[in-house]
Each structure stands twice: as C-alpha cells, then as structure tokens.
C-alpha cells in the first residue's frame, strides 16, 4: 500500500452527530470480524483513526470495514506510530459494528525496488526458495501472534502486503513460494490467508498460477487487488480473472484521497468488499402469517378487509392497544388506531394513514447504525417503514443500493444530512410517523 507517514486530520465533530451518538442504543459485545461475510464498503489508512473519528464515520460514512496494520517489519505505521490502535480500540469498534482488514507488511519480492528516500527500507525475500519459505513461515507466526493480541479468533484473515514489483519469471517464482508457505502455515493454525498487491504484480502472478494449475501451490483464501480505476466493485479487469475467488475479493479502487464525514477528515484508500458469504438476507419476515412484501400501504378505515388489515391489527396488538386479530377493520380496530395515535400526540380519526403505518412499522429497538451491506431483521423493518413513508426501496433484506437511495431521499425530505446511513435521527423521524 502507498507509503504514508500520517493519514489523519480531525477537524471537529458536529453537535448533531454527538446527539445521534447519545441517542443510539447501547453497543452489544461482539467478536471482532476479520472480515467475516460482507458485501460493501471499507477503507484503509496508515494510522488507525482515534475513537472520535471512528464514531463519527461509523454513523455517517458508507464504510463498514477498516484496514489496520497489525504486523510486519516493513510497515510505515508500525506499533510505535500507532497512538490509537490497541486491543481495546479493536474491541470498542467491533462493538460498534466495524469489520477489520488486518494487514501484514513484511519482506518484499526479490526484485522490489525500494525508494531510497523512504523512511522505511523494506527487506526482500531470499532468492533461495527454501529460505524464502522459512521467512514466510516466520512472518506468518508473527501475524498470528498479532491477530491474537488484537482479539481476532480462528478463521480470521491476515492480508500479506506485497508491494508492486517489476515481474520476471524468477521473481514470480520466489513470490509464489513465499505466498504458498505463508498460506499453508496460516491454514495449519486455523487462520485464513489474504493477499494484497497491485493488480499487475502479485495478484496477476498468483491468478496465473491458479489458472495454470501450478503443482502443489496453495492459493490464498482472499485476494485484495489494488487497481485505482475508481469503480466500487470487485472486478479484476486484466489482472484477476472472474473464474477465481468468487465472493472472496476486495478491490482497492481509489488511493490517497481525503474525505470527511461527520466533521472528521481522513486520508484513505477506498475499498469495496465481497467476502465470505457476502451480505445475505435472512428469511422474509411474516406477521401473523402474512408475508411482509407490500410495495405500498393503503389507508385503512372501518369496513376495510384483507391481509393489510391483519398486519395492522398485529402491529397494534404488539403495541398493547388491541387484543384480537380478525382481518376486519371494525370499531375495535378504529379505537386501537386512535389509542396508538394518542401515544404520538395525534388526534383521533379512526383511520390508519401512511403516517400511522410508518410509525407502527418502524417501531422496535434501534441498532446503532445500518449502512450498505447490513442485513438482518432491522433492515427488513427499515425497508418496510420506508415503503410506508413513500421512499420506495426494494424489499430485499439487504441494505443495498436501492435502500441507500431511499434513505438519502428520506433524509432530504426530513431536512437531515444526506448521508447513506440509517442511525438514530432517521429512526426518530420514522417512529414519529414522518413521511417523505
């Protein structure tokens, strides 16, 4: 990854963001994911940001994964240059929902050319395959120790950073021996192997070895391709063929760019991940046996019938204002609607409107934040609430690009900052029945 001595500039946090942090539900204990199953955005930066920045970006940025430099003699940002990175920092950010990309920067290809002006002169792999393999195993032991120190469990991935080098057959051969030995050692200890490199360097060399069926070669589990084409996807272009590492890819698509979220500005590389099993939805939820796939919510009143009435009555029963469900909108249902309306400070009408639906459907415990790649019951709840409010996302159970657009449209309609995330301020508007 590009050499940088400092990548963090904090320019302040807004009052609204701090309020949003305070309104969020308490973070739950979580095992750090490195990186787990996920499809969405991440970033890497040389110096791990301080906690205030991580909190700001957690609530306002599209990023869910952060690259951290945990091991290796060739790091520009080694332990002595990491004022924030610690097991406690990892644990806190894991509780807040962050995923991690642990990076190891050690020996480089034999033909790697150091920049003589660089503050870190990277050592190189031996030209002897036997010795290079020993060096790889030593570095794998080092990264496993670091993974353990930071709280990452078995099956976590450590990404071996091999910087760009001018490829030759002889140099490639040593790199492949090193990658093979690194991967085998990690696998033998229950961990996973990742490879980060320029598309035209080690990424291409390893992919060619896979496609040619190189005898005895143990390929990395995940490939992290540096290819600054500006496209947030996991396509490998001319460097990484589509036939390998499906859903085991990270694309570093923009390098050395300064971006700001929530008042915090950081110099980063942008990445897009599709790893593990990816972001997969759970089962489509039902309510009283009704599948919740409505693409609009009708205004209901006395005399209305059908599945939406049953859904409405179930939601009212959950709120404790209705005792039975019969799919017929009668006097009892109208009174329950008015009781719910009264809880929001609204006057009686006996009618379930879009605002009523929005407030009912959005009710529940609020996660700290949802963003692209999030999955789970809260995503289904958000998507149904946005449909009721008039923002029209697809009902997928995954916080996908459709949900991102719907959230941005809803935020604009409510005068909120145009972030792509759903945090306390969005839930507050929905739970007050505010429509788009």
């Amino acid at each position: 990854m590009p050499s940088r001595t400092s990548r963090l500039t904090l320019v302040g946090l807004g009052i609204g963001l701090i309020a949003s942090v305070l309104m969020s539900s308490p973070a739950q204990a979580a095992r750090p994911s490195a990186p787990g199953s996920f499809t969405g955005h991440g970033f890497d930066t040389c110096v791990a940001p301080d906690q205030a920045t991580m909190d700001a970006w957690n609530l306002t940025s599209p990023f869910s994964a952060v690259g951290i430099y945990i091991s290796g003699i060739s790091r520009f940002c080694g332990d002595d240059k990491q004022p924030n990175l610690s097991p406690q920092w990892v644990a806190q950010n894991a509780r807040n929902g962050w995923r991690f990309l642990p990076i190891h920067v050690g020996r480089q290809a034999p033909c790697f050319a150091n920049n003589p002006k660089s503050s870190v002169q990277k050592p190189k792999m031996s030209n002897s395959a036997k010795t290079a393999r020993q060096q790889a195993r030593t570095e794998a032991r080092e990264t496993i120790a670091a993974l353990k120190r930071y709280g990452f469990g078995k099956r976590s991935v450590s990404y071996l950073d091999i910087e760009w080098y001018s490829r030759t057959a002889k140099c490639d051969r040593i790199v492949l021996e090193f990658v093979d030995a690194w991967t085998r050692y990690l696998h033998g200890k229950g961990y996973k192997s990742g490879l980060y490199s320029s598309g035209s360097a080690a990424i291409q060399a390893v992919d060619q070895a896979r496609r040619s069926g190189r005898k005895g070669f143990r390929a990395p589990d995940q490939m992290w391709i540096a290819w600054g084409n500006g496209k947030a996807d996991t396509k490998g272009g001319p460097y990484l063929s589509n036939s390998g590492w499906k859903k085991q890819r990270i694309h570093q698509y923009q390098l050395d760019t300064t971006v700001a979220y929530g008042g915090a500005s950081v110099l980063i590389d942008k990445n897009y991940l599709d790893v593990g099993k990816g972001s997969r939805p759970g089962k489509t939820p039902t309510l009283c046996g009704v599948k919740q796939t409505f693409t609009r919510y009708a205004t209901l009143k006395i005399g209305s019938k059908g599945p939406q009435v049953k859904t409405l009555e179930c939601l009212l029963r959950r709120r404790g204002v209705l005792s039975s469900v019969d799919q017929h909108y009668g006097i009892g249902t109208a009174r329950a609607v008015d009781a719910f309306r009264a809880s929001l400070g609204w006057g009686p009408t006996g009618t379930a409107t879009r605002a009523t639906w929005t407030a009912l459907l959005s009710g529940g415990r609020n996660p700290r934040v949802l963003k692209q790649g999030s999955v789970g019951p809260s995503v289904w709840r958000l998507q149904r609430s946005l449909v009721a409010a008039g923002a029209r996302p697809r009902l997928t159970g995954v916080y996908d690009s459709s949900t991102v657009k719907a959230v941005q449209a809803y935020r604009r309609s409510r005068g909120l900052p145009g972030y792509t995330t759903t945090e306390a301020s969005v839930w507050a508007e929905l739970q007050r029945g505010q429509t788009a």
Side-chain angles (χ1 to χ4, degrees):
M1 296 181 182
S3 61
R4 293 161 284 226
T5 56
S6 177
R7 306 191 60 163
L8 174 62
T9 304
L10 180 62
V11 298
L13 293 172
I15 292 174
L17 176 61
I18 295 173
S20 183
V21 172
L22 294 175
M23 290 170 63
S24 299
S25 60
Q28 302 300 306
R31 181 85 174 185
S33 295
S37 295
F38 177 69
T39 305
H41 297 277
F43 76 95
D44 63 89
T45 186
C46 194
V47 176
D50 63 30
Q51 195 58 51
T53 299
M54 292 300 293
D55 288 343
W57 279 40
N58 181 238
L59 296 172
T60 61
S61 82
F63 305 117
S64 295
V66 54
I68 53 175
Y69 289 81
I70 66 165
S71 57
I73 194 172
S74 296
R75 287 173 291 165
F76 282 94
C77 300
D79 295 340
D80 60 334
K81 296 182 177 65
Q82 294 282 357
N84 306 310
L85 185 60
S86 67
Q88 294 73 30
W89 183 94
V90 170
Q92 177 61 49
N93 287 298
R95 287 193 290 270
N96 289 346
W98 284 100
R99 299 169 181 274
F100 303 90
L101 304 171
I103 303 161
H104 174 91
V105 193
R107 294 180 181 273
Q108 297 299 307
C111 51
F112 171 77
N114 271 296
N115 180 348
K117 296 181 180 180
S118 175
S119 60
V120 175
Q121 295 296 299
K122 297 179 174 66
K124 302 177 186 180
M125 304 166 192
S126 170
N127 281 303
S128 160
K130 181 178 180 180
T131 303
R133 295 183 69 87
Q134 292 171 344
Q135 292 168 340
R137 288 189 287 267
T138 298
E139 295 198 15
R141 281 194 294 272
E142 179 189 350
T143 207
I144 288 173
L147 287 169
K148 291 178 178 178
R149 182 168 69 253
Y150 287 112
F152 298 108
K154 296 288 183 72
R155 300 188 64 75
S156 294
V157 183
S158 179
Y159 298 90
L160 175 65
D161 182 328
I162 297 180
E163 296 292 303
W164 183 87
Y165 62 92
S166 182
R167 292 182 60 198
T168 66
K170 182 178 179 181
C171 199
D172 279 351
R173 183 175 68 85
I174 296 300
V175 168
L176 293 173
E177 292 285 354
F178 195 96
V179 170
D180 176 78
W182 157 277
T183 299
R184 288 178 183 275
Y185 191 90
L186 286 171
H187 285 180
K189 300 298 181 181
Y191 295 86
K192 290 188 175 183
S193 163
L195 172 65
Y196 166 89
S197 188
S198 296
S200 61
I203 294 293
Q204 192 173 50
V206 168
D207 189 38
Q208 288 173 348
R210 177 193 64 83
R211 289 189 289 115
S212 67
R214 182 182 176 88
K215 188 175 181 180
F217 179 66
R218 182 78 62 88
D221 298 289
Q222 294 183 5
M223 296 284 265
W224 185 351
I225 178 174
W227 179 32
N229 66 347
K231 297 181 180 179
D233 57 30
T234 54
K235 295 179 181 178
Y239 310 115
L240 180 59
S241 57
N242 293 331
S243 58
W245 293 281
K246 295 180 180 179
K247 288 205 172 294
Q248 305 301 331
R249 296 179 175 216
I250 304 170
H251 177 196
Q252 189 182 75
Y253 64 90
Q254 189 172 4
L255 283 71
D256 287 325
T257 180
T258 299
V259 292
Y261 291 97
S265 178
V266 187
L267 178 65
I268 65 168
D269 300 324
K270 293 183 179 180
N271 300 278
Y272 192 80
L273 298 78
D274 190 12
V275 292
K277 296 180 179 179
S279 293
R280 299 170 64 181
K283 292 182 179 179
T284 305
T286 60
L287 193 61
C288 290
V290 178
K291 207 168 188 178
Q292 299 296 292
T293 56
F294 303 119
T295 56
R296 62 180 297 274
Y297 287 86
T299 296
L300 302 178
K301 56 187 178 181
I302 291 177
S304 296
K305 300 178 182 180
Q308 287 203 359
V309 173
K310 187 174 184 179
T311 297
L312 174 70
E313 291 176 333
C314 280
L315 290 167
L316 292 168
R317 185 171 63 180
R318 280 186 176 180
R319 295 301 181 103
V321 293
L322 186 66
S323 58
S324 62
V325 175
D326 59 11
Q327 298 192 63
H328 295 277
Y329 200 118
I331 294 296
T333 303
R335 288 173 178 168
V337 167
D338 282 345
F340 175 69
R341 291 177 60 87
S343 72
L344 296 173
W346 302 347
T349 64
T351 301
T353 62
R354 278 178 54 207
T356 311
W357 278 114
T358 301
L360 277 170
L361 288 164
S362 60
R365 183 173 181 175
N366 301 336
R368 178 183 176 86
V369 66
L370 297 174
K371 57 180 70 177
Q372 189 163 356
S374 296
V375 295
S378 293
V379 174
W380 286 110
R381 178 161 57 97
L382 172 67
Q383 290 173 337
R384 294 195 302 270
S385 305
L386 289 170
V387 167
R392 308 297 184 193
R394 293 194 303 268
L395 296 170
T396 62
V398 177
Y399 202 118
D400 54 15
S401 59
S402 166
T403 306
V404 166
K405 292 177 182 177
V407 167
Q408 287 182 304
Y410 183 76
R411 293 182 74 107
R412 285 194 299 269
S413 75
R414 304 310 313 156
L416 299 174
Y419 302 125
T420 62
T421 60
T422 297
E423 34 65 53
S425 64
V426 176
W427 288 113
E429 294 293 306
L430 290 169
Q431 290 167 358
R432 286 197 294 266
Q434 301 298 312
T435 57

mmCIF file of all heavy atoms in Angstrom, residues 5 39 48-49 63 82-83 103 120 150 183 213 245 250 255 266 296 305 316 338 354 374 376 418 435:
data_model
loop_
_atom_site.group_PDB
_atom_site.id
_atom_site.type_symbol
_atom_site.label_atom_id
_atom_site.label_comp_id
_atom_site.label_asym_id
_atom_site.label_seq_id
_atom_site.Cartn_x
_atom_site.Cartn_y
_atom_site.Cartn_z
ATOM 1 N N THR A 5 3.223 8.623 6.094
ATOM 2 C CA THR A 5 3.664 8.740 7.476
ATOM 3 C C THR A 5 2.547 9.235 8.372
ATOM 4 O O THR A 5 2.551 8.985 9.573
ATOM 5 C CB THR A 5 4.854 9.708 7.588
ATOM 6 O OG1 THR A 5 4.485 10.968 7.019
ATOM 7 C CG2 THR A 5 6.040 9.160 6.816
ATOM 8 N N THR A 39 -20.693 -7.683 2.008
ATOM 9 C CA THR A 39 -20.592 -7.042 0.707
ATOM 10 C C THR A 39 -20.842 -5.553 0.905
ATOM 11 O O THR A 39 -21.954 -5.164 1.284
ATOM 12 C CB THR A 39 -21.624 -7.603 -0.292
ATOM 13 O OG1 THR A 39 -21.480 -9.024 -0.370
ATOM 14 C CG2 THR A 39 -21.435 -6.996 -1.671
ATOM 15 N N ALA A 48 -4.331 4.165 12.484
ATOM 16 C CA ALA A 48 -5.707 3.912 12.898
ATOM 17 C C ALA A 48 -6.303 5.187 13.482
ATOM 18 O O ALA A 48 -5.715 5.799 14.374
ATOM 19 C CB ALA A 48 -5.751 2.784 13.931
ATOM 20 N N PRO A 49 -7.468 5.645 13.000
ATOM 21 C CA PRO A 49 -8.060 6.891 13.499
ATOM 22 C C PRO A 49 -8.411 6.808 14.976
ATOM 23 O O PRO A 49 -8.635 5.728 15.530
ATOM 24 C CB PRO A 49 -9.323 7.037 12.645
ATOM 25 C CG PRO A 49 -9.053 6.238 11.409
ATOM 26 C CD PRO A 49 -8.231 5.073 11.881
ATOM 27 N N PHE A 63 -18.681 3.395 5.048
ATOM 28 C CA PHE A 63 -17.704 2.343 5.312
ATOM 29 C C PHE A 63 -18.090 1.487 6.522
ATOM 30 O O PHE A 63 -18.480 1.997 7.567
ATOM 31 C CB PHE A 63 -16.324 2.956 5.553
ATOM 32 C CG PHE A 63 -15.860 3.844 4.432
ATOM 33 C CD1 PHE A 63 -15.629 5.194 4.644
ATOM 34 C CD2 PHE A 63 -15.679 3.337 3.156
ATOM 35 C CE1 PHE A 63 -15.219 6.017 3.619
ATOM 36 C CE2 PHE A 63 -15.269 4.150 2.117
ATOM 37 C CZ PHE A 63 -15.035 5.500 2.344
ATOM 38 N N GLN A 82 1.445 4.151 16.082
ATOM 39 C CA GLN A 82 0.010 3.899 16.192
ATOM 40 C C GLN A 82 -0.477 4.331 17.574
ATOM 41 O O GLN A 82 -0.574 3.516 18.501
ATOM 42 C CB GLN A 82 -0.294 2.411 15.974
ATOM 43 C CG GLN A 82 -0.009 1.881 14.593
ATOM 44 C CD GLN A 82 -1.073 2.260 13.583
ATOM 45 O OE1 GLN A 82 -2.078 2.889 13.918
ATOM 46 N NE2 GLN A 82 -0.858 1.904 12.333
ATOM 47 N N PRO A 83 -0.803 5.605 17.763
ATOM 48 C CA PRO A 83 -1.234 6.055 19.091
ATOM 49 C C PRO A 83 -2.599 5.526 19.512
ATOM 50 O O PRO A 83 -2.933 5.567 20.699
ATOM 51 C CB PRO A 83 -1.268 7.589 18.954
ATOM 52 C CG PRO A 83 -1.501 7.814 17.489
ATOM 53 C CD PRO A 83 -0.767 6.709 16.785
ATOM 54 N N ILE A 103 -3.570 -6.173 8.264
ATOM 55 C CA ILE A 103 -2.563 -6.141 7.204
ATOM 56 C C ILE A 103 -1.186 -6.439 7.777
ATOM 57 O O ILE A 103 -0.799 -5.896 8.823
ATOM 58 C CB ILE A 103 -2.555 -4.755 6.524
ATOM 59 C CG1 ILE A 103 -3.955 -4.419 5.975
ATOM 60 C CG2 ILE A 103 -1.514 -4.707 5.401
ATOM 61 C CD1 ILE A 103 -4.158 -2.941 5.709
ATOM 62 N N VAL A 120 11.350 3.973 5.459
ATOM 63 C CA VAL A 120 11.363 2.534 5.726
ATOM 64 C C VAL A 120 11.926 1.822 4.499
ATOM 65 O O VAL A 120 11.350 1.890 3.410
ATOM 66 C CB VAL A 120 9.947 2.002 6.037
ATOM 67 C CG1 VAL A 120 9.974 0.490 6.186
ATOM 68 C CG2 VAL A 120 9.390 2.647 7.298
ATOM 69 N N TYR A 150 -4.778 -8.705 19.210
ATOM 70 C CA TYR A 150 -5.862 -7.751 18.983
ATOM 71 C C TYR A 150 -7.250 -8.362 19.136
ATOM 72 O O TYR A 150 -8.251 -7.683 18.930
ATOM 73 C CB TYR A 150 -5.715 -7.122 17.598
ATOM 74 C CG TYR A 150 -4.574 -6.134 17.521
ATOM 75 C CD1 TYR A 150 -3.440 -6.406 16.767
ATOM 76 C CD2 TYR A 150 -4.614 -4.935 18.241
ATOM 77 C CE1 TYR A 150 -2.385 -5.508 16.706
ATOM 78 C CE2 TYR A 150 -3.568 -4.034 18.186
ATOM 79 C CZ TYR A 150 -2.453 -4.323 17.422
ATOM 80 O OH TYR A 150 -1.411 -3.436 17.377
ATOM 81 N N THR A 183 0.507 -19.113 3.300
ATOM 82 C CA THR A 183 -0.864 -19.624 3.326
ATOM 83 C C THR A 183 -0.940 -20.965 4.059
ATOM 84 O O THR A 183 -1.829 -21.194 4.891
ATOM 85 C CB THR A 183 -1.391 -19.778 1.887
ATOM 86 O OG1 THR A 183 -1.392 -18.489 1.257
ATOM 87 C CG2 THR A 183 -2.797 -20.358 1.868
ATOM 88 N N GLY A 213 -2.752 -24.236 -13.045
ATOM 89 C CA GLY A 213 -2.706 -25.444 -12.232
ATOM 90 C C GLY A 213 -1.322 -25.724 -11.682
ATOM 91 O O GLY A 213 -0.887 -26.884 -11.660
ATOM 92 N N TRP A 245 -11.798 -16.947 -6.909
ATOM 93 C CA TRP A 245 -12.055 -16.134 -5.708
ATOM 94 C C TRP A 245 -13.408 -15.420 -5.768
ATOM 95 O O TRP A 245 -13.518 -14.245 -5.438
ATOM 96 C CB TRP A 245 -10.921 -15.134 -5.482
ATOM 97 C CG TRP A 245 -9.633 -15.794 -5.123
ATOM 98 C CD1 TRP A 245 -9.264 -16.283 -3.910
ATOM 99 C CD2 TRP A 245 -8.543 -16.077 -6.006
ATOM 100 N NE1 TRP A 245 -8.019 -16.853 -3.977
ATOM 101 C CE2 TRP A 245 -7.541 -16.730 -5.251
ATOM 102 C CE3 TRP A 245 -8.309 -15.840 -7.356
ATOM 103 C CZ2 TRP A 245 -6.341 -17.150 -5.809
ATOM 104 C CZ3 TRP A 245 -7.122 -16.258 -7.912
ATOM 105 C CH2 TRP A 245 -6.141 -16.903 -7.138
ATOM 106 N N ILE A 250 -11.491 -8.230 -2.543
ATOM 107 C CA ILE A 250 -11.541 -6.831 -2.130
ATOM 108 C C ILE A 250 -10.871 -6.029 -3.243
ATOM 109 O O ILE A 250 -9.840 -6.429 -3.765
ATOM 110 C CB ILE A 250 -10.803 -6.604 -0.800
ATOM 111 C CG1 ILE A 250 -11.372 -7.518 0.291
ATOM 112 C CG2 ILE A 250 -10.890 -5.143 -0.368
ATOM 113 C CD1 ILE A 250 -10.543 -7.536 1.563
ATOM 114 N N LEU A 255 -7.090 5.505 -4.391
ATOM 115 C CA LEU A 255 -5.969 5.605 -3.459
ATOM 116 C C LEU A 255 -5.705 7.056 -3.068
ATOM 117 O O LEU A 255 -5.907 7.983 -3.869
ATOM 118 C CB LEU A 255 -4.697 5.014 -4.080
ATOM 119 C CG LEU A 255 -4.575 3.492 -4.134
ATOM 120 C CD1 LEU A 255 -5.535 2.912 -5.161
ATOM 121 C CD2 LEU A 255 -3.148 3.083 -4.477
ATOM 122 N N VAL A 266 -10.115 12.371 6.848
ATOM 123 C CA VAL A 266 -9.057 11.361 6.893
ATOM 124 C C VAL A 266 -8.544 11.098 5.475
ATOM 125 O O VAL A 266 -9.320 11.062 4.524
ATOM 126 C CB VAL A 266 -9.571 10.034 7.509
ATOM 127 C CG1 VAL A 266 -8.419 9.048 7.707
ATOM 128 C CG2 VAL A 266 -10.293 10.271 8.820
ATOM 129 N N ARG A 296 -46.799 -1.047 -1.155
ATOM 130 C CA ARG A 296 -47.450 0.176 -0.702
ATOM 131 C C ARG A 296 -48.389 -0.199 0.441
ATOM 132 O O ARG A 296 -48.812 -1.358 0.564
ATOM 133 C CB ARG A 296 -48.225 0.884 -1.820
ATOM 134 C CG ARG A 296 -49.371 0.077 -2.413
ATOM 135 C CD ARG A 296 -50.086 0.842 -3.511
ATOM 136 N NE ARG A 296 -50.715 2.057 -3.002
ATOM 137 C CZ ARG A 296 -51.933 2.091 -2.464
ATOM 138 N NH1 ARG A 296 -52.653 0.977 -2.347
ATOM 139 N NH2 ARG A 296 -52.451 3.215 -2.034
ATOM 140 N N LYS A 305 -60.891 -4.707 4.719
ATOM 141 C CA LYS A 305 -60.624 -6.116 4.980
ATOM 142 C C LYS A 305 -59.334 -6.524 4.284
ATOM 143 O O LYS A 305 -58.829 -5.813 3.423
ATOM 144 C CB LYS A 305 -61.774 -6.992 4.465
ATOM 145 C CG LYS A 305 -63.133 -6.721 5.087
ATOM 146 C CD LYS A 305 -64.196 -7.621 4.459
ATOM 147 C CE LYS A 305 -65.582 -7.325 5.048
ATOM 148 N NZ LYS A 305 -66.632 -8.192 4.439
ATOM 149 N N LEU A 316 -50.799 -3.389 16.039
ATOM 150 C CA LEU A 316 -51.497 -2.736 17.150
ATOM 151 C C LEU A 316 -51.509 -3.623 18.394
ATOM 152 O O LEU A 316 -51.390 -3.144 19.522
ATOM 153 C CB LEU A 316 -52.928 -2.380 16.728
ATOM 154 C CG LEU A 316 -53.049 -1.284 15.656
ATOM 155 C CD1 LEU A 316 -54.475 -1.223 15.123
ATOM 156 C CD2 LEU A 316 -52.624 0.074 16.227
ATOM 157 N N ASP A 338 -56.759 4.845 17.181
ATOM 158 C CA ASP A 338 -56.789 6.144 17.872
ATOM 159 C C ASP A 338 -55.971 6.110 19.156
ATOM 160 O O ASP A 338 -55.343 7.117 19.532
ATOM 161 C CB ASP A 338 -58.233 6.551 18.158
ATOM 162 C CG ASP A 338 -58.928 7.105 16.926
ATOM 163 O OD1 ASP A 338 -58.216 7.444 15.952
ATOM 164 O OD2 ASP A 338 -60.177 7.213 16.934
ATOM 165 N N ARG A 354 -50.804 6.676 5.985
ATOM 166 C CA ARG A 354 -49.393 6.399 5.743
ATOM 167 C C ARG A 354 -48.551 6.730 6.975
ATOM 168 O O ARG A 354 -47.612 5.999 7.314
ATOM 169 C CB ARG A 354 -48.890 7.225 4.556
ATOM 170 C CG ARG A 354 -49.205 6.630 3.196
ATOM 171 C CD ARG A 354 -48.722 7.544 2.083
ATOM 172 N NE ARG A 354 -47.308 7.868 2.244
ATOM 173 C CZ ARG A 354 -46.745 8.981 1.781
ATOM 174 N NH1 ARG A 354 -47.479 9.893 1.179
ATOM 175 N NH2 ARG A 354 -45.457 9.185 1.943
ATOM 176 N N SER A 374 -25.467 -4.013 5.391
ATOM 177 C CA SER A 374 -26.123 -4.507 6.598
ATOM 178 C C SER A 374 -27.244 -5.476 6.230
ATOM 179 O O SER A 374 -27.892 -5.334 5.186
ATOM 180 C CB SER A 374 -26.708 -3.348 7.412
ATOM 181 O OG SER A 374 -25.706 -2.491 7.889
ATOM 182 N N GLY A 376 -30.342 -8.369 8.235
ATOM 183 C CA GLY A 376 -30.988 -8.736 9.480
ATOM 184 C C GLY A 376 -32.372 -8.137 9.621
ATOM 185 O O GLY A 376 -32.829 -7.359 8.769
ATOM 186 N N GLY A 418 -27.374 14.448 4.127
ATOM 187 C CA GLY A 418 -27.598 13.464 3.084
ATOM 188 C C GLY A 418 -26.700 12.255 3.137
ATOM 189 O O GLY A 418 -26.210 11.809 2.085
ATOM 190 N N THR A 435 -43.523 11.172 7.042
ATOM 191 C CA THR A 435 -43.447 10.601 5.702
ATOM 192 C C THR A 435 -42.543 11.450 4.807
ATOM 193 O O THR A 435 -42.213 12.586 5.135
ATOM 194 C CB THR A 435 -44.840 10.486 5.075
ATOM 195 O OG1 THR A 435 -45.456 11.779 5.045
ATOM 196 C CG2 THR A 435 -45.708 9.534 5.884
#
